[in-house]
Amino acid sequence: MFSHPDQAGFLPSAELSSLVAKLLSLGYQCLGPAEEGGAIVMRELAAPDALPRGLQAEQAPGHYRLTRDSDNRFFAWANGPQAIKPLAFAPQESLWRVERDAAGALQFAAVLPAVSPQAIIGVRACDLAALAVQEAHFLRDGRRDAHYAQRREQLFLVAVQCAVPASTCFCASTGDGPTPTAGFDIALAELADGFVAVAGSEKGAAVLAALALSPATPLQLAAARQQAQDAATRQTRSLPSPNLRDALMGQLEHPRWDDVAARCLACGNCSAVCPTCFCHAEQDLPSLDGHASEHVRVWDSCFGESHGYLHGFSVRPDIRSRYRQWLTHKLATWHDQFGRSGCVGCGRCIAWCPVGIDLTEEVAALVRHSDQPSDESSKRSTKPAGGQVAAYPARGRGGQGHAQTD
Ligand code: SF4
Ligand code: SF4
């Protein structure tokens, strides 16, 4: 009933728990925001009414502190260090296992994750965009990463429009937020007394239909649209263009790379929190008795020297070349691989960098005197121009880009 954009419903704040209860009754494990270690992370909800209210986080370069939202809303926080990434692309998992049988022969077997259905409540537009970017890598051109696919297929995504961006957010300039436009099952826009709710998939429509919501009024829809516009306007950071390919690739010898290398610790935090980074390493973990071994995939970072190690030498021996690799892959050569930038403007790499390196500032320094994006490079971009705010409500699943990769 609510699967079309014109059919938005209204869910009073006091009945948000009924949405969680419905998802639990359908067999989903429900994850929602929780305070842990001084940050907002996604954790299993102990009960339908366990979603916390009033959580907020102040973010700046190298800075993340929990605060309280004076309006006591459910979703007045921008994002935490995690995205959806760990739930689809596991930080560490076995790919296959080998065992020696009684006759001494080696027996190989795939190890696939046992995943149960999970509903994530509070997914942001930037993270939906990042999920589509990851899918372009893991599920593309007929190829299917079985481990990624198995986890992804079990996810039910309840997205939330961002009303309170952090100072590190710049999704409006990448065209990825603050309103969810694709990839969700249900999308919510939180108003003072409840939520405008739309479905983006048949599964989402069935859940909303079961809640028997009253239709959202024109005033409520207008308030949701205005809220998105205000959130975009409040973003203070930006990238100069969604497509910086030519501008950055023309600056490979710019002295700014030495400047940022002197500050960067090569810790890899930025790539760990980035929702689109997909680099990994593979390791073999033999048992102590030598009869079995697990082949494991673990997240890796291009900031580590070992990631660029090839037969006796490293192709990126210094921090300058590693930072340059990260930034130019993310914002420039990603266009060649995936048809869009690898940055969705979530700002995590800025907040979680221990020395406060801000990629928007680095880009501004690098391209300040360089060419503006050419007509041709602008055509390569699949994203709308900076600052665009999608109309609310918008349709969900679909529109996920698939392109070539490395
Ligand atoms: S940019 Fe910051 S987070 Fe990334 S590797 Fe360097 S110091 Fe670490
Ligand atoms: S590069 Fe930074 S701002 Fe862009 S998606 Fe990754 S973590 Fe977010």
Side-chain angles (χ1 to χ4, degrees):
M1 177 176 186
F2 296 114
S3 62
H4 191 273
D6 296 334
Q7 295 174 320
F10 188 75
L11 177 68
S13 298
E15 292 174 29
L16 182 59
S17 58
S18 65
L19 170 60
V20 180
K22 180 64 191 168
L23 291 167
L24 288 169
S25 76
L26 292 171
Y28 288 100
Q29 177 196 36
C30 290
L31 307 184
E35 283 186 50
E36 192 176 291
I40 298 169
V41 293
M42 287 292 175
R43 289 289 177 261
E44 183 171 6
L45 297 172
D49 59 356
L51 274 167
R53 300 189 76 150
L55 278 184
Q56 208 165 49
E58 178 185 278
Q59 302 190 49
H63 177 92
Y64 183 102
R65 295 288 179 279
L66 289 179
T67 56
R68 301 302 300 175
D69 167 42
S70 54
D71 293 331
N72 207 32
R73 291 194 185 196
F74 286 95
F75 300 105
W77 44 278
N79 59 43
Q82 293 175 326
I84 314 169
K85 183 168 88 169
L87 300 170
F89 172 33
Q92 173 167 338
E93 68 181 332
S94 289
L95 299 183
W96 48 264
R97 177 179 169 83
V98 57
E99 283 180 349
R100 198 177 296 281
D101 66 18
L106 296 178
Q107 302 293 340
F108 291 82
V111 179
L112 285 170
V115 198
S116 46
Q118 287 184 314
I120 313 176
I121 322 281
V123 176
R124 301 316 167 110
C126 58
D127 287 336
L128 291 171
L131 192 68
V133 168
Q134 287 234 313
E135 286 174 7
H137 173 70
F138 287 105
L139 310 171
R140 67 202 150 90
D141 299 336
R143 285 199 358 221
R144 179 179 182 271
D145 181 288
H147 295 74
Y148 183 93
Q150 198 135 327
R151 294 178 191 283
R152 173 66 187 95
E153 284 160 8
Q154 295 296 332
L155 295 180
F156 184 101
L157 302 175
V158 179
V160 178
Q161 177 197 66
C162 268
V164 188
S167 83
T168 42
C169 294
F170 55 98
C171 64
S173 76
T174 66
D176 295 304
T179 293
T181 58
F184 56 82
D185 293 292
I186 291 174
L188 305 173
E190 185 172 17
L191 305 180
D193 53 349
F195 301 87
V196 175
V198 293
S201 69
E202 286 183 15
K203 283 189 298 183
V207 169
L208 288 186
L211 298 180
L213 306 181
S214 57
T217 66
L219 272 180
Q220 288 165 336
L221 289 169
R225 278 193 291 270
Q226 186 62 46
Q227 182 165 264
Q229 186 68 55
D230 293 347
T233 305
R234 285 210 299 278
Q235 293 186 9
T236 53
R237 284 180 165 75
S238 64
L239 288 176
S241 164
N243 191 338
L244 293 162
R245 186 192 180 283
D246 294 348
L248 278 177
M249 294 309 280
Q251 299 298 330
L252 295 182
E253 300 307 325
H254 195 290
R256 185 72 179 195
W257 301 116
D258 294 308
D259 183 278
V260 70
R263 289 173 280 134
C264 174
L265 307 174
C267 65
N269 262 19
C270 49
S271 54
V273 295
C274 179
T276 66
C277 280
F278 51 71
C279 283
H280 64 270
E282 296 193 17
Q283 300 169 354
D284 289 295
L285 304 179
S287 63
L288 284 178
D289 63 9
H291 283 281
S293 184
E294 298 268 344
H295 189 79
V296 175
R297 173 164 74 185
V298 291
W299 286 5
D300 199 7
S301 169
C302 53
F303 281 93
E305 187 172 2
S306 62
H307 194 74
Y309 182 82
L310 291 177
H311 301 289
F313 73 101
S314 173
V315 294
R316 290 185 286 275
D318 50 29
I319 295 179
R320 174 184 183 275
S321 56
R322 283 178 239 150
Y323 188 89
R324 187 178 68 179
Q325 160 65 20
W326 185 69
L327 196 72
T328 55
H329 185 209
K330 186 73 49 186
L331 300 178
T333 53
W334 210 291
H335 286 274
D336 300 328
Q337 287 181 284
F338 300 110
R340 62 153 294 164
S341 156
C343 179
V344 297
C346 73
R348 288 185 175 91
C349 59
I350 303 171
W352 295 93
C353 173
V355 292
I357 292 172
D358 174 348
L359 98 165
T360 64
E361 209 175 285
E362 300 310 313
V363 167
L366 286 160
V367 306
R368 188 173 296 139
H369 302 298
S370 73
D371 297 334
Q372 289 302 305
S374 65
D375 285 350
E376 185 154 338
S377 64
S378 297
K379 276 183 221 152
R380 269 196 295 270
S381 173
T382 57
K383 303 304 295 180
Q388 176 166 335
V389 179
Y392 196 92
R395 282 190 70 81
R397 287 194 191 284
Q400 297 176 347
H402 290 260
Q404 59 185 7
T405 184
D406 53 352

